[in-house]
Amino acid sequence: MNIEHAVIGGWLIPFIRIMQSCDIDIQEALAACDIDMHELSDQESRITLAKLIKLLNYASERAPGHDLRVRLAENFHPSMLHVLGYAMMSAETLKDSLDYIVRYRRIVSSLCNVRLNEVPGGVEFSIRPVRIEQRIVPGLGLREAEVFIASLVKFARDLVQSDLTPLCVFLEAEAPEQQPDALQAFFNCEVHYGHPYNALIFREEHATRKLFTHNGLIARNHEIMLDEFLSRVDKNDLVNLVRCKIYDYLPGSTPAQGDVAEVLGMSLRNLQRRLSEQGTSYKEILENTRKKLALNYLEQPHLSLGEIGYLVGFASVTNFNRAFKRWTGLTPGDFRDNQPVARLN
């Protein structure tokens, strides 16, 4: 099977900035790497990883004395990741920001196996190889993974603490022969080379600290946009397609499973079967979607409980209270009164 690994076109933005600063002819560089100029203007465009690797090598050869891995990381901005970047900025904590990448990894890359795990002393974000048809396919090239890891450190320094240092970094690449290494100096922490996968561990105090850009309402709206974007990027993700159709029906009404199946061009029985094969059901998706929306709305003090119930599809406050207590063990009013202690993620 021929697999064309593609990444979001926003990664071209820091390349352009760096090539400009290094007096590299941009049009010649893009042409040499078979990249069309329109891929710069379309924020939803995808570019093959092979072309991005070629561009990194091309620029590196023409910018001697510069470590472009560090330069690219220093030029990282969340907007490069389309709406995903803005969702990351509006998340409550750094850990929540990283979780967005995990949940919406298909937006970042067509072959991206990223994980977020709690480890002693912190939170580990890892990029692991993908297994496809008994083959191991790297999630990213060695240098590209280093750029991505370094970019997350830049993001954390911008939104958490300017002098933030990771607990440690693990890289698949072998240790560089030439010292000092600019990348290790950038991380300013212990770096372990020759690891089975690339990973970054943030200290717990940094991972759980509230971001000063946090906005629950904006985060919720971004999640809706992300789900819609993902449905365009990956039309095979049935769970996300169903979730997007539920968004279309809300507020004010509860979408029936048969209506969603019809909109998706499927029979009710086929929808039920395919969701079952993915280990879920329409009822579970609906419940999780309404619960998540309700939790986010409850962060907005200007919204009454009746308004929130309507926004998530309940005809009465009584029905909303009953469902919310089933989800959380608390009534909406008690939950709001006990924030942030009672907040559920």
Side-chain angles (χ1 to χ4, degrees), residues 104 106-107 226-234 237 240:
Y104 297 101
R106 291 282 294 175
I107 292 177
L226 282 167
D227 288 332
E228 293 173 346
F229 185 17
L230 194 60
S231 69
R232 298 195 297 273
V233 171
D234 190 355
D237 188 346
N240 189 65

Side-chain angles (χ1 to χ4, degrees), residues 5-170:
H5 188 175
V7 297
I8 193 165
W11 283 106
L12 289 173
I13 297 174
F15 277 94
I16 299 302
R17 293 174 178 167
I18 291 170
M19 289 191 293
Q20 286 175 332
S21 66
C22 294
D23 295 324
I24 298 174
D25 189 293
I26 296 172
Q27 291 190 346
E28 286 186 8
L30 296 180
C33 299
D34 302 316
I35 299 173
D36 293 331
M37 285 295 292
H38 83 273
E39 292 177 312
L40 297 174
S41 57
D42 183 0
Q43 293 186 347
E44 294 190 10
S45 67
R46 313 286 277 182
I47 179 173
T48 64
L49 181 60
K51 290 182 179 180
L52 202 63
I53 292 174
K54 189 175 181 180
L55 184 60
L56 178 56
N57 292 335
Y58 181 98
S60 297
E61 291 172 0
R62 288 157 181 78
H66 297 280
D67 192 313
L68 295 195
R69 299 169 303 172
V70 173
R71 294 285 300 277
L72 286 167
E74 290 174 339
N75 280 273
F76 173 82
H77 187 272
S79 61
M80 291 164 42
L81 301 180
H82 197 264
V83 69
L84 174 59
Y86 294 107
M88 291 170 62
M89 292 177 65
S90 59
E92 184 171 9
T93 66
L94 177 60
K95 181 181 178 181
D96 293 331
S97 289
L98 299 174
D99 187 54
Y100 272 127
I101 301 177
V102 175
R103 288 161 53 195
Y104 297 101
R105 55 190 175 275
R106 291 282 294 175
I107 292 177
V108 179
S109 167
S110 60
L111 280 178
C112 195
N113 183 12
V114 293
R115 302 180 188 178
L116 188 64
N117 298 306
E118 293 186 3
V119 296
V123 173
E124 179 193 66
F125 179 90
S126 61
I127 308 172
R128 299 168 185 258
V130 181
R131 180 180 293 275
I132 299 180
E133 295 186 349
Q134 300 181 341
R135 290 194 297 126
I136 299 296
V137 181
L140 289 173
L142 294 180
R143 298 177 73 193
E144 290 67 39
E146 292 169 351
V147 171
F148 191 33
I149 292 290
S151 296
L152 292 181
V153 173
K154 165 66 162 53
F155 173 82
R157 287 172 178 166
D158 286 343
L159 296 187
V160 178
Q161 185 173 309
S162 60
D163 61 348
L164 176 150
T165 59
L167 192 60
C168 58
V169 172
F170 299 90

